[in-house]
Amino acid sequence: MNWLKKYWKFYLVLVLGAIHGILTILNKDQTVTAVILCVIGVLFALEMIKEMIETFKEGRWGVDVLAVVAIPSMIFVNDIWAEWMILVMLTGGESLEDYATSQADKDLKALLNNAPRFAHKLLDNGSIENISVDQVAVGDLIVINPGDQVPVDCQIISGDSQFDESSITGESLPVPKKIGDDLFSGSVNGDYAVKAKVTKLAAESEYQTIVNLVKSAQAQPARFVKLADRYAVPFTIISLIIGFVAMGISMHNNPSAAWSVHFMRFAQVMVVASPCPLLIAAPVAFLSGMSNMSRHQVQVKSGPTIEKLGRAKTFAFDKTGTLTKNSLVIDQIKLATTDFTKDQVLLLTRSAESHSNHIIANSIVKSSDEKLLPATNVQEIAGQGLTAEVDGHKLKIGKASFVTDDKIELATTTAVYVAIDDKYAGVITLKDQLRPETPSTIQDLKELGIQHIMMLTGDKKEVAEAIGKESGVGTVKYELLPGEKIQAIKSAKHRPVVMVGDGVNDSPSLTAADVGIAMGAKEATAASESADAVILVDDLSKVSDAVRIAKWTLKVAKVDVLIAMAVVLVLELIASTGIIPAFGGAILQEAVDLTAISLALIAGIEPKK
Ligand code: ADP
Ligand code: MG
């Protein structure tokens, strides 16, 4: 009986209305139902006043004033039916908003329902025990049968198969996996059983990370009302003025009439003035826009994000992993020493870099399968590199200026310099390739009216400018330290500013921007959590899709609200002449609401390219 509990006010009002109606038709005494309806009306009005005071404290005052005025007005002129109609509208609107929010919750529920529950643990004696995913420990061996969901993040140790990762990455084609490959919880095994070693607890595994992300998105209150708020104040004032003027005209034309006759005019205007299109239509449009984005694998965390994204003037992109592919390939290893071989330098570097989340570090670690050595005293300096001790050697890895003071030959591509025991040892150069979709994405953004596009990178001038040219971004800012990236975002003249980062190590700049977009929840870390939107697939073109949808959503919401307000104002003017009886006015108003809400759903359809 969840629905009854949730929407009880609405049902109560409907039932009371029905009883009142039957009593009227049977010509029985309706005092009791009338009194109950009045009492409920007053209680609802009081509740709204309370809420109004709360929102007022947040510096907003809204259209609720009109509803609060309308209810007592109706009671005052003793038009129970009109009062009832307003109650239907208010409680109905509230229920509708709840319903819309719960639709958005459905995604989350589906996600939670599909969460992996069991794992087949392989015991030492070779037998298999079915345990709950929460009991799985790192290092356990598990068996994943054909058709099974991968219970926790793990690594294949025998067998190979294809895995459907669509629930995590949105990638619809099955991905082949062999010994040594990582499996993500939530993906589904294809045709062959594999054995795997657990690498992460269930709570830290990929699936749970995405669940948390969506949860944190939903935990943000549905505050889409910003847009509506902007129109609310003038709308309320104009409506009240029309009401008072109507009352004044009535007094002027008919000075001898009773006071209640004049007040009736005011009440008639207030009935049609109720502001539901503003209160509900805009949120519905934003919810539709958000669900449209999530169909495009873009998880937006709140309504205001859509609004800011739709009005964005400046875009800032991180380079490595964002404009360029998120894995780099080692090009060359150039030694400056004879004390170590290339393989030794690579192994030491890989061992140290395995403690970093940087995309460059990940790429270097993945470049070989050789077993890593333990590294101690690892210290990473953001935007510079890291120091560590491996196999008795002191390592310094990163930018040339960070690694050594010697005059060394600098690479012309993205490169990682290595010093061993305070002596410069050589450089590992990497191929930092542009994503294939980068130039068209930048072009799309320009066509969508984004005039200021910049690239922010800690990398060297030559590399940065080459990538900048290839990708088409207008402004290239290079050799930036993390703090300078934040400064560049904060000082942008044309706002709102959107920062797109790789989701691995860009959280400070994502937070600094008006809208932070993180690429790839797969590597979900701090950055995805500090971002306002997360692109769940490894595809930069989702950025321009998101902007297109945001603009469309904003447009639908705006046009819808403006039309509804215009219609309501016209109705108010007509009502001020007294030709619309209050009850009829309430029905008209309801029709406007329903139309406005239906139109808001247009935000959910696909905008044209
Ligand atoms: P980007 O803007 O290209 O993403 P960052 O600001 O994260 O770059 O880092 C700037 C530079 O610092 C990198 O290009 C790299 O040379 C160096 N660097 C940072 N972290 C590391 C690391 N863990 N290992 C090696 N080099 C690093
Ligand atoms: Mg980066």
Side-chain angles (χ1 to χ4, degrees):
M1 296 303 254
N2 204 5
W3 54 272
L4 192 61
K5 213 164 100 195
K6 227 160 137 187
Y7 307 132
W8 68 270
K9 285 184 190 166
F10 182 53
Y11 293 116
L12 179 68
V13 171
L14 284 187
V15 169
L16 281 172
I19 298 174
H20 192 69
I22 294 170
L23 291 176
T24 314
I25 294 167
L26 297 180
N27 231 337
K28 292 264 164 51
D29 182 20
Q30 311 134 23
T31 325
V32 179
T33 45
V35 168
I36 297 179
L37 280 168
C38 290
V39 171
I40 293 183
V42 171
L43 288 179
F44 282 3
L46 286 177
E47 196 190 327
M48 290 179 68
I49 292 178
K50 203 180 116 221
E51 274 172 28
M52 254 163 54
I53 293 174
E54 272 159 27
T55 49
F56 187 72
K57 276 190 210 142
E58 292 170 25
R60 313 172 5 221
W61 71 282
V63 277
D64 300 2
V65 179
L66 292 175
V68 173
V69 174
I71 295 177
S73 306
M74 290 303 111
I75 297 177
F76 196 77
V77 299
N78 199 14
D79 190 331
I80 297 302
W81 278 120
E83 193 241 355
W84 175 77
M85 200 65 218
I86 300 176
L87 289 180
V88 169
M89 194 166 74
L90 286 176
T91 53
E94 211 179 77
S95 307
L96 197 82
E97 200 168 356
D98 275 3
Y99 173 75
T101 324
S102 69
Q103 282 302 99
D105 277 354
K106 253 167 82 184
D107 283 355
L108 178 62
K109 294 231 177 69
L111 206 60
L112 290 173
N113 287 339
N114 288 332
R117 290 175 217 281
F118 300 103
H120 311 302
K121 182 175 168 181
L122 191 61
L123 302 178
D124 291 342
N125 61 13
S127 64
I128 285 174
E129 188 190 3
N130 287 340
I131 57 173
S132 141
V133 289
D134 300 322
Q135 292 171 301
V136 179
V138 172
D140 278 357
L141 298 186
I142 55 173
V143 174
I144 303 160
N145 292 322
D148 271 0
Q149 215 180 10
V150 176
V152 291
D153 289 2
C154 53
Q155 199 175 35
I156 301 189
I157 53 165
S158 95
D160 50 85
S161 185
Q162 304 227 329
F163 287 80
D164 173 0
E165 295 187 339
S166 58
S167 67
I168 306 161
T169 60
E171 168 66 61
S172 51
L173 291 178
V175 187
K177 301 267 183 170
K178 55 180 193 317
I179 293 181
D181 285 347
D182 290 322
L183 298 180
F184 300 106
S185 65
S187 55
V188 177
N189 191 5
D191 295 334
Y192 304 98
V194 298
K195 261 188 235 166
K197 190 168 167 183
V198 175
T199 52
K200 279 191 188 151
L201 294 178
E204 288 154 17
S205 288
E206 195 51 42
Y207 198 85
Q208 195 54 43
T209 318
I210 292 181
V211 170
N212 290 344
L213 211 67
V214 177
K215 263 193 193 157
S216 79
Q218 314 258 299
Q220 307 223 5
R223 284 194 43 197
F224 313 99
V225 271
K226 278 219 174 111
L227 177 99
D229 277 358
R230 215 174 318 139
Y231 302 120
V233 176
F235 180 71
T236 308
I237 294 175
I238 295 176
S239 299
L240 287 173
I241 291 178
I242 295 180
F244 283 120
V245 169
M247 197 159 84
I249 293 176
S250 163
M251 283 175 181
H252 179 261
N253 291 347
N254 202 353
S256 58
W259 204 75
S260 66
V261 172
H262 307 309
F263 189 75
M264 189 63 181
R265 244 350 112 70
F266 176 76
Q268 283 165 339
V269 174
M270 284 306 112
V271 170
V272 289
S274 292
C276 281
L278 278 177
L279 294 181
I280 308 168
V284 168
F286 281 108
L287 276 173
S288 313
M290 278 168 86
S291 83
N292 197 0
M293 291 234 191
S294 78
R295 279 202 298 278
H296 281 258
Q297 312 287 345
V298 182
Q299 181 71 47
V300 180
K301 297 195 186 170
S302 75
T305 302
I306 295 205
E307 202 175 333
K308 283 187 250 170
L309 200 54
R311 289 191 290 116
K313 297 241 162 44
T314 303
F315 263 74
F317 287 89
D318 178 55
K319 178 180 73 74
T320 322
T322 305
L323 291 177
T324 64
K325 289 186 185 163
N326 73 355
S327 77
L328 293 80
V329 184
I330 292 190
D331 187 18
Q332 283 180 350
I333 302 177
K334 290 183 206 153
L335 290 185
T337 171
T338 48
D339 302 345
F340 299 91
T341 65
K342 286 184 183 176
D343 286 347
Q344 282 171 320
V345 171
L346 184 62
L347 180 60
L348 290 173
T349 308
R350 285 179 53 239
S351 304
E353 290 280 32
S354 67
H355 293 267
S356 165
N357 274 327
H358 201 280
I359 286 195
I360 294 181
N362 291 345
S363 309
I364 291 182
V365 176
K366 273 192 235 149
S367 67
S368 145
D369 287 336
E370 199 181 340
K371 203 165 173 298
L372 297 170
L373 304 170
T376 52
N377 288 335
V378 185
Q379 204 187 359
E380 177 152 15
I381 295 101
Q384 299 280 359
L386 50 73
T387 57
E389 270 165 44
V390 183
D391 203 20
H393 294 293
K394 207 172 128 209
L395 283 160
K396 212 166 179 191
I397 302 165
K399 279 186 184 171
S401 56
F402 169 72
V403 165
T404 176
D405 295 331
D406 299 353
K407 266 206 156 338
I408 55 171
E409 191 195 331
L410 293 179
T412 50
T413 59
T414 297
V416 169
Y417 299 81
V418 184
I420 305 176
D421 298 323
D422 291 324
K423 210 175 132 210
Y424 177 60
V427 55
I428 302 174
T429 61
L430 298 131
K431 279 191 223 152
D432 193 6
Q433 289 165 306
L434 204 67
R435 287 172 184 271
E437 73 273 18
T438 298
S440 61
T441 305
I442 302 291
Q443 188 54 35
D444 283 351
L445 285 177
K446 286 182 183 163
E447 275 163 25
L448 284 164
I450 314 287
Q451 288 174 358
H452 309 274
I453 303 181
M454 55 185 179
M455 173 174 109
L456 306 176
T457 178
D459 214 337
K460 283 194 320 277
K461 186 176 177 201
E462 296 79 21
V463 185
E465 281 180 343
I467 297 284
K469 206 164 172 195
E470 267 184 273
S471 60
V473 298
T475 314
V476 176
K477 302 196 176 186
Y478 45 83
E479 286 166 38
L480 299 179
L481 296 174
E484 292 171 328
K485 285 191 189 177
I486 294 173
Q487 200 45 45
I489 291 166
K490 289 207 168 139
S491 62
K493 265 199 242 91
H494 307 274
R495 307 192 81 98
V497 183
V498 182
M499 165 80 197
V500 189
D502 57 46
V504 178
N505 61 343
D506 289 322
S507 34
S509 21
L510 292 180
T511 317
D514 297 316
V515 178
I517 303 181
M519 290 286 298
K522 214 164 159 187
E523 247 94 359
T525 53
S528 325
E529 273 150 38
S530 56
D532 302 295
V534 180
I535 293 176
L536 298 172
V537 286
D538 192 26
D539 181 354
L540 192 69
S541 71
K542 298 291 172 193
V543 173
S544 49
D545 287 350
V547 174
R548 185 175 297 113
I549 296 173
K551 281 193 182 295
W552 172 243
T553 306
L554 213 59
K555 195 163 159 190
V556 170
K558 235 182 192 161
V559 169
D560 191 16
V561 164
L562 286 174
I563 291 180
M565 272 187 347
V567 172
V568 169
L569 285 177
V570 169
L571 284 179
E572 282 174 23
L573 287 175
I574 299 176
S576 70
T577 64
I579 57 170
I580 308 179
F583 181 62
I587 289 180
L588 274 178
Q589 161 67 34
E590 189 74 343
V592 175
D593 290 353
L594 286 177
T595 317
I597 290 164
S598 324
L599 288 178
L601 294 173
I602 294 178
I605 46 180
E606 201 57 43
K608 265 209 312 277
K609 266 220 174 187

